Structure formats: structure tokens, C-alpha cells
Amino acid sequence: MTDNEKALQQSAQRLTQIEQAYGHLLEALSGIAVPDDALLGTNSGATVASILTASIIRIKQTIPVDVAAFALLAEDGIEFELQLIEPDSGRLSINAIMERSIEQGTYGWALNQNKPCFVNDAEQGRVVLHSIAIGSKVLGMFIGILGEQTPD
């Protein structure tokens, strides 16, 4: 194979990768563009549960998570309570991730970040933690177990 043929083959492979990434981006953007009413299934006031459900739908359209959960700050302002886990069969895994990340200090560190925090969990592999806050007031944490096809 000549140098030109190799370069052409590499260019074709790169173009395929770019097309795939572009397709994923378009899918994610179309999911974001869907009106909230369509996701919430209502035209009136939404509940916390319906907002969290709609959020998980959008998150799963954007990133490959096998299990997604929201832990919201309890009324006492001390504990975090799991409000929604999708699928519910991931409850034990999410609880274990929460316990380990609290013990290791990762949970507290992620609460102070204004971005998603990707960590490696000893048992579950790649995990994303993202604090939910309004200004300096912490409301909770998104916890996601990332799927196999997550890029590095």
C-alpha cells in the first residue's frame, strides 16, 4: 500500500468517526430541544418526581449511563436521600457508590465542583457525580454509572 493510499484510508476512518460524533451530537441536541411539557406529560405545574424523571430522560439521551440516580438533600440539611433511580434494579449499586464516595471524600469534593466529576469506582467502574445547586445552595447530587461505550 502506498503512502497516498494509507493517508486516504486514514482520512476515510477519521471522517467516519467525525460523522458518528456529529450524529450523536444531533441526537443530543434534539433531545434538549424537546419542550419540557412533552417530557413531563403535563401542561400544568410539575412535581419534583416528574422533573427528575424528565431530567433522567434527557441525560440518557446525552450520555450513555446504565444507571442514573438523584440524591436530594433531606429537610434536615444533613443527609442525602435517593429520590429516583433508573432502573430501580440499580438501587444497591447506587447506595454502595454513595457510601464509598462519602468514605473516600469524593462525594464532598464533587459537591464543591461546578462540573461533572468522573471517577473510577472499585466495583462499578466509571461513575459520574454532578452536584445540583442553585448558587451556593446545594440541592443534591446526580449519580450515574457510565456504560461501556463511554469515551475516555
Side-chain angles (χ1 to χ4, degrees):
M1 184 178 285
T2 68
D3 288 340
N4 286 341
E5 290 172 328
K6 287 180 186 177
L8 184 60
Q9 185 179 22
Q10 289 174 341
S11 294
Q13 289 173 343
R14 181 67 182 137
L15 181 59
T16 300
Q17 291 173 338
I18 291 170
E19 287 173 343
Q20 289 173 346
Y22 181 70
H24 180 70
L25 177 62
L26 286 177
E27 287 176 23
L29 289 174
S30 70
I32 292 169
V34 173
D36 288 332
D37 290 345
L39 288 174
L40 296 173
T42 179
N43 290 325
S44 60
T47 65
V48 170
S50 65
I51 292 169
L52 295 179
T53 301
S55 298
I56 284 184
I57 290 170
R58 288 203 174 158
I59 289 167
K60 285 188 166 192
Q61 289 172 341
T62 307
I63 59 173
V65 290
D66 290 339
V67 181
F70 286 103
L72 300 183
L73 195 59
E75 288 184 26
D76 64 10
I78 299 170
E79 303 270 338
F80 285 86
E81 298 174 346
L82 286 170
Q83 296 293 317
L84 179 66
I85 302 169
E86 177 62 38
D88 193 58
S89 60
R91 183 173 297 277
L92 291 176
S93 297
I94 293 294
N95 277 327
I97 289 168
M98 282 183 66
E99 287 177 19
R100 279 190 298 276
S101 63
I102 289 169
E103 288 173 9
Q104 297 167 354
T106 309
Y107 200 90
W109 169 76
L111 284 173
N112 291 312
Q113 304 300 308
N114 191 22
K115 61 183 179 180
C117 301
F118 297 92
V119 296
N120 289 317
D121 182 76
E123 294 181 22
Q124 297 300 323
R126 290 190 39 129
V127 173
V128 62
L129 302 173
H130 196 303
S131 65
I132 305 166
I134 298 175
S136 63
K137 181 177 176 163
V138 172
L139 303 175
M141 178 80 77
F142 169 78
I143 306 160
I145 300 173
L146 298 174
E148 294 285 327
Q149 300 177 12
T150 305
D152 290 333

